[in-house]
Amino acid sequence: MDIPRSFLEELKNSKKIVFFTGAGISAESGIPTFRGEGGIWNKLKPEELANFNAFLRNPDLVWEWYQYRRKIINETKPNPGHLAIVEFENYFDVTVVTQNVDNLHRRAGSKKIYELHGNIEKNYCINCKKRFDDVDFSNFEKNVPKCDSCGGLIRPDVVWFGEFLPEDQFEASEKAARECDILFAVGTSAVVYPAANIPYIAKRNGAVLVEINLERTDLSNYANFSFLGKSGEILPEILRAFLNYRKL
Ligand code: BV8
Ligand code: ZN
């Protein structure tokens, strides 16, 4: 893969890096994306599942979908793309801003992570808000569990369509985007807002914008550099090229 010298020079002069990641970075771990071919939304529509009213209308169906995804996630592990991002921490001040709810960046060992859309391992009661994080609900495959304090429905702690993002995570992500020297947008179709604002905020504040994706997206016209291909191959390749370049 051709890595431009001008890109390596920018990287060498950078201190703060943001990795803004989407479902594509977890694809090589075996977790289906939302919108690419084989994407889960192709079969199921967000409005049917990832929103609060759908949950109220059919809690068992929505709960079952999350149990199905949790099962897939539990059988996967971080891939070389996640691991390369951890490696970058040895040479840069790295912040991970992820739209993913799969917890793979944390399992890979990333230190500074902001989760804009929540975390599928966490749950809470919609009535009394009691937390049920990292509770094993494996015996609730098809039926939504009820809160043991008030009997309310328990939901996954993820951000559904029409719901606000966790303010602390979003504000910290905006700040990291404003202050970074370079932002890598990795494996995201950049169509879901307000998360998709993050790369534009970085660019507007003078950061170099780098896109890593299998295909072009809305971001491609704004990116200073675009690498087309698999993030699990490209990120380790960029790290290797950087380590060689900095020795020159
Ligand atoms: C909000 C969590 C304020 C749950 C997700 C109408 C009504 C209501 C709202 C809206 C509306 N119209 C617009 C909106 C705003 C809406 C929105 O943006 N909709 C879009 C679809 C138009 N946003 C919201 O509703 C947000 N909240 O606006 O609140 C508000 C409040 C009240 C009333 C109104 C507004 C909340 C959005 C969060 C939704 N939750 N997920 C769950 O996961 O179950 S969204 C879902 O999409 C995931 O979080 C995912 O992370 C996110 C983004 O998708 P991507 O990560 O980019 O993944 P995708 O599959 O799309 O793309 C993968 C990419 O990877 C592809 O480009 C592919 O080429 C690439 N790829 C694949 N393999 C690889 C690869 N790249 C590299 N290597 C590979 N190997
Ligand atoms: Zn409760």
Side-chain angles (χ1 to χ4, degrees):
M1 178 185 68
D2 165 46
I3 299 181
R5 188 185 171 83
S6 53
F7 165 75
L8 292 171
E9 193 56 27
E10 291 285 2
L11 193 49
K12 189 174 158 200
N13 298 332
S14 298
K15 285 191 181 51
K16 290 173 174 254
I17 301 186
V18 168
F19 289 95
F20 175 71
T21 65
I25 196 167
S26 299
E28 291 158 82
S29 296
I31 299 178
T33 60
F34 291 87
R35 294 170 187 85
E37 70 290 338
I40 31 184
W41 293 138
N42 300 346
K43 299 179 210 43
L44 308 154
K45 287 285 157 277
E47 49 279 3
E48 281 156 22
L49 292 166
N51 78 53
F52 189 59
N53 297 328
F55 179 66
L56 289 183
R57 251 196 325 274
N58 195 334
D60 290 344
L61 174 74
V62 174
W63 178 264
E64 185 185 352
W65 183 51
Y66 279 91
Q67 287 297 80
Y68 159 72
R69 287 172 62 194
R70 274 189 262 251
K71 197 161 156 295
I72 293 177
I73 288 168
N74 291 336
E75 286 154 11
T76 65
K77 59 184 180 33
N79 65 57
H82 298 102
L83 298 172
I85 289 177
V86 179
E87 278 297 294
F88 269 94
E89 290 180 6
N90 300 325
Y91 311 98
F92 300 92
D93 171 358
V94 170
T95 302
V96 174
V97 175
T98 189
Q99 302 167 88
N100 299 339
V101 299
D102 60 30
N103 214 28
L104 285 184
H105 284 298
R106 184 163 290 107
R107 285 175 52 196
S110 286
K111 304 256 185 331
K112 201 179 350 169
I113 306 170
Y114 297 117
E115 293 175 316
L116 295 180
H117 292 158
N119 185 318
I120 201 167
E121 305 300 329
K122 300 187 182 319
N123 307 277
Y124 64 91
C125 167
I126 63 169
N127 194 27
C128 71
K129 310 293 179 235
K130 180 176 175 184
R131 308 275 336 163
F132 293 84
D133 293 343
D134 307 316
V135 170
D136 173 15
F137 284 118
S138 47
N139 46 352
F140 287 88
E141 265 320 286
K142 295 200 177 304
N143 303 96
V144 63
K146 306 281 189 330
C147 173
D148 55 0
S149 306
C150 76
L153 298 176
I154 295 176
R155 64 165 281 181
D157 188 5
V158 297
V159 179
W160 280 334
F161 285 99
E163 291 185 330
F164 288 104
L165 278 58
E167 210 158 314
D168 59 331
Q169 301 291 301
F170 192 59
E171 281 173 8
S173 302
E174 282 182 305
K175 183 169 179 299
R178 277 197 303 273
E179 295 172 357
C180 73
D181 302 308
I182 191 164
L183 181 139
F184 287 82
V186 187
T188 183
S189 58
V191 297
V192 175
Y193 285 85
N197 283 323
I198 294 295
Y200 298 102
I201 293 171
K203 176 86 182 171
R204 264 203 304 278
N205 283 271
V208 170
L209 180 56
V210 184
E211 182 175 38
I212 298 175
N213 200 309
L214 291 181
E215 60 196 12
R216 289 180 59 77
T217 69
D218 295 353
L219 276 179
S220 304
N221 294 334
Y222 290 87
N224 299 78
F225 300 94
S226 260
F227 294 98
L228 284 183
K230 292 182 172 181
S231 49
E233 293 166 8
I234 291 174
L235 281 166
E237 183 72 42
I238 286 177
L239 182 62
R240 254 193 307 280
F242 162 70
L243 294 177
N244 292 334
Y245 182 74
R246 103 191 160 123
K247 281 187 210 130
L248 300 182

mmCIF file of all heavy atoms in Angstrom, residues 12 17 26 66 74 77 124 128-129 141 205 214-215:
data_model
loop_
_atom_site.group_PDB
_atom_site.id
_atom_site.type_symbol
_atom_site.label_atom_id
_atom_site.label_comp_id
_atom_site.label_asym_id
_atom_site.label_seq_id
_atom_site.Cartn_x
_atom_site.Cartn_y
_atom_site.Cartn_z
ATOM 1 N N LYS A 12 4.525 12.570 11.831
ATOM 2 C CA LYS A 12 5.744 12.773 12.643
ATOM 3 C C LYS A 12 5.654 14.097 13.418
ATOM 4 O O LYS A 12 6.134 14.203 14.544
ATOM 5 C CB LYS A 12 6.962 12.799 11.716
ATOM 6 C CG LYS A 12 8.288 12.775 12.422
ATOM 7 C CD LYS A 12 9.421 12.650 11.403
ATOM 8 C CE LYS A 12 10.740 13.152 11.983
ATOM 9 N NZ LYS A 12 11.704 13.488 10.932
ATOM 10 N N ILE A 17 -3.552 12.641 18.700
ATOM 11 C CA ILE A 17 -4.296 11.938 17.643
ATOM 12 C C ILE A 17 -5.666 11.512 18.189
ATOM 13 O O ILE A 17 -5.754 11.016 19.326
ATOM 14 C CB ILE A 17 -3.575 10.653 17.192
ATOM 15 C CG1 ILE A 17 -2.172 10.964 16.652
ATOM 16 C CG2 ILE A 17 -4.394 9.936 16.132
ATOM 17 C CD1 ILE A 17 -1.471 9.737 16.067
ATOM 18 N N SER A 26 -14.657 -2.987 13.583
ATOM 19 C CA SER A 26 -14.927 -4.277 14.248
ATOM 20 C C SER A 26 -15.337 -5.366 13.266
ATOM 21 O O SER A 26 -15.519 -6.522 13.649
ATOM 22 C CB SER A 26 -16.023 -4.097 15.314
ATOM 23 O OG SER A 26 -15.580 -3.178 16.299
ATOM 24 N N TYR A 66 -30.630 -7.592 20.915
ATOM 25 C CA TYR A 66 -29.385 -7.220 21.615
ATOM 26 C C TYR A 66 -28.683 -8.445 22.184
ATOM 27 O O TYR A 66 -27.457 -8.548 22.159
ATOM 28 C CB TYR A 66 -29.680 -6.161 22.693
ATOM 29 C CG TYR A 66 -29.766 -4.797 22.061
ATOM 30 C CD1 TYR A 66 -30.988 -4.288 21.614
ATOM 31 C CD2 TYR A 66 -28.623 -4.060 21.804
ATOM 32 C CE1 TYR A 66 -31.063 -3.064 20.962
ATOM 33 C CE2 TYR A 66 -28.691 -2.842 21.156
ATOM 34 C CZ TYR A 66 -29.904 -2.347 20.728
ATOM 35 O OH TYR A 66 -29.958 -1.152 20.060
ATOM 36 N N ASN A 74 -19.429 -11.480 22.272
ATOM 37 C CA ASN A 74 -18.687 -12.283 23.267
ATOM 38 C C ASN A 74 -17.809 -13.343 22.613
ATOM 39 O O ASN A 74 -16.864 -13.819 23.211
ATOM 40 C CB ASN A 74 -19.660 -12.952 24.259
ATOM 41 C CG ASN A 74 -20.321 -11.896 25.151
ATOM 42 O OD1 ASN A 74 -19.739 -10.815 25.333
ATOM 43 N ND2 ASN A 74 -21.513 -12.165 25.647
ATOM 44 N N LYS A 77 -12.977 -11.058 19.250
ATOM 45 C CA LYS A 77 -11.921 -10.386 20.035
ATOM 46 C C LYS A 77 -11.392 -9.219 19.207
ATOM 47 O O LYS A 77 -11.637 -9.159 17.994
ATOM 48 C CB LYS A 77 -10.812 -11.385 20.400
ATOM 49 C CG LYS A 77 -10.107 -12.064 19.262
ATOM 50 C CD LYS A 77 -9.112 -13.096 19.837
ATOM 51 C CE LYS A 77 -8.330 -13.861 18.808
ATOM 52 N NZ LYS A 77 -7.947 -13.266 17.592
ATOM 53 N N TYR A 124 -29.947 -0.833 32.143
ATOM 54 C CA TYR A 124 -30.597 -0.154 33.270
ATOM 55 C C TYR A 124 -32.112 -0.278 33.168
ATOM 56 O O TYR A 124 -32.653 -0.537 32.089
ATOM 57 C CB TYR A 124 -30.164 1.311 33.364
ATOM 58 C CG TYR A 124 -30.558 2.197 32.201
ATOM 59 C CD1 TYR A 124 -31.765 2.909 32.200
ATOM 60 C CD2 TYR A 124 -29.721 2.340 31.097
ATOM 61 C CE1 TYR A 124 -32.122 3.722 31.136
ATOM 62 C CE2 TYR A 124 -30.067 3.152 30.030
ATOM 63 C CZ TYR A 124 -31.261 3.850 30.051
ATOM 64 O OH TYR A 124 -31.604 4.664 28.984
ATOM 65 N N CYS A 128 -36.899 2.846 37.234
ATOM 66 C CA CYS A 128 -36.195 3.458 38.394
ATOM 67 C C CYS A 128 -34.728 3.730 38.076
ATOM 68 O O CYS A 128 -33.985 4.197 38.943
ATOM 69 C CB CYS A 128 -36.322 2.524 39.598
ATOM 70 S SG CYS A 128 -35.328 1.028 39.421
ATOM 71 N N LYS A 129 -34.298 3.414 36.863
ATOM 72 C CA LYS A 129 -32.920 3.680 36.390
ATOM 73 C C LYS A 129 -31.866 2.847 37.107
ATOM 74 O O LYS A 129 -30.671 3.124 36.961
ATOM 75 C CB LYS A 129 -32.564 5.176 36.516
ATOM 76 C CG LYS A 129 -33.575 6.149 35.928
ATOM 77 C CD LYS A 129 -33.666 6.066 34.431
ATOM 78 C CE LYS A 129 -34.718 7.052 33.890
ATOM 79 N NZ LYS A 129 -35.740 6.364 33.049
ATOM 80 N N GLU A 141 -32.814 -15.143 27.016
ATOM 81 C CA GLU A 141 -32.496 -15.102 25.589
ATOM 82 C C GLU A 141 -33.599 -14.390 24.809
ATOM 83 O O GLU A 141 -33.355 -13.555 23.983
ATOM 84 C CB GLU A 141 -32.346 -16.527 25.042
ATOM 85 C CG GLU A 141 -30.907 -17.003 25.030
ATOM 86 C CD GLU A 141 -29.925 -15.900 24.607
ATOM 87 O OE1 GLU A 141 -29.871 -15.578 23.413
ATOM 88 O OE2 GLU A 141 -29.240 -15.328 25.481
ATOM 89 N N ASN A 205 -10.921 22.875 12.975
ATOM 90 C CA ASN A 205 -9.958 23.429 13.944
ATOM 91 C C ASN A 205 -8.521 23.136 13.545
ATOM 92 O O ASN A 205 -7.627 23.129 14.382
ATOM 93 C CB ASN A 205 -10.254 22.866 15.346
ATOM 94 C CG ASN A 205 -11.473 23.566 15.961
ATOM 95 O OD1 ASN A 205 -11.346 24.581 16.615
ATOM 96 N ND2 ASN A 205 -12.662 23.041 15.687
ATOM 97 N N LEU A 214 -13.399 1.003 3.447
ATOM 98 C CA LEU A 214 -13.402 0.143 2.238
ATOM 99 C C LEU A 214 -13.872 0.935 1.035
ATOM 100 O O LEU A 214 -13.597 0.580 -0.107
ATOM 101 C CB LEU A 214 -14.374 -1.032 2.440
ATOM 102 C CG LEU A 214 -14.004 -2.099 3.462
ATOM 103 C CD1 LEU A 214 -15.086 -3.166 3.491
ATOM 104 C CD2 LEU A 214 -12.649 -2.708 3.178
ATOM 105 N N GLU A 215 -14.681 1.979 1.325
ATOM 106 C CA GLU A 215 -15.291 2.729 0.209
ATOM 107 C C GLU A 215 -15.262 4.212 0.533
ATOM 108 O O GLU A 215 -14.961 4.618 1.651
ATOM 109 C CB GLU A 215 -16.746 2.263 0.022
ATOM 110 C CG GLU A 215 -17.586 2.513 1.287
ATOM 111 C CD GLU A 215 -18.903 1.742 1.306
ATOM 112 O OE1 GLU A 215 -19.101 0.851 0.485
ATOM 113 O OE2 GLU A 215 -19.709 2.057 2.201
#
